[in-house]
Amino acid sequence: MTAPRFKRILLKLSGEVLMGQGQFGIDPDTCERVALEVKDAKDSGLEICMVVGGGNIFRGLAGAAQGFDRASADYMGMLATVMNALAMQNALEKIGVDTRVQSAIPMASVCEPYIRRRAERHMEKGRVVLFAAGTGLPFFTTDTTAALRAAEMQCDALFKGTSVDGVYDADPKKVPTAKRYDTLDYNRVLADDLKVMDASAVALCRDNNIPIVVFNIRDEGNLTRVLRGEGTSTIVQNETQSA
């Protein structure tokens, strides 16, 4: 499939991606591989910002299910995303990519506070901006954070790197005959509960006409291929955009 050419994108990664083949934590080799792919994308002329989840360290919903107060668990999850953002910052800067980490929860000793216009200026100067600590509020996922920041940064698309190569009508890991979609409408995703992102994130992208490109980030080099329109992915957009 041919993907449209974008100027500015937001890359959303799950925290689990940074585990590599491990069961927990951050794998430096995986961070380096992802960083190299981000560098390739940036060198092609793209302006890039990123949101990384925290599920490799602590997931708020899972903590709440184990008895933590939900708000406290979500704040713990937000702190995990800061750790991941700093890990990616380190990996990117080791290969010569200028970065800034901006946190929705102020922690001046390790990163900048989130300021929209400053973030835009960083990207205009060629820096990769990593948005950490979610929205700074409990009860919101990093998917919703990604959609919100993509809207605020006026991104042309939101790229979601997952462990599958697109959106299916069933779990392809459990249903061998599951069908993968090349394109989907936001409303179809919401009506069929296709689990691309949480509903609030999909609705936010729909209302701001931000295409969601779902692809497999674990496949080495796939981000570059998808950006060129050569890789396998699913694009979620309004029907009028795909017409």
Side-chain angles (χ1 to χ4, degrees), residues 186-231:
Y186 301 105
N187 292 326
R188 173 75 180 278
V189 170
L190 293 170
D192 292 356
D193 194 22
L194 291 177
K195 306 297 184 185
V196 175
M197 305 175 85
D198 64 72
S200 58
V202 174
L204 189 54
C205 286
R206 177 195 62 191
D207 294 345
N208 290 278
N209 292 318
I210 301 171
I212 304 169
V213 182
V214 183
F215 69 103
N216 186 353
I217 188 65
R218 294 183 184 273
D219 185 4
E220 187 170 351
N222 203 31
L223 173 59
T224 301
R225 289 192 294 272
V226 170
L227 284 168
R228 291 175 179 169
E230 300 168 357

Side-chain angles (χ1 to χ4, degrees), residues 7 22-23 45 84 88 91 98-99 144 153 162 200 230 239:
K7 181 187 177 200
Q23 300 297 314
N84 284 339
M88 280 305 307
D98 288 336
T99 69
T144 298
M153 295 298 109
T162 70
S200 58
E230 300 168 357
E239 289 181 348

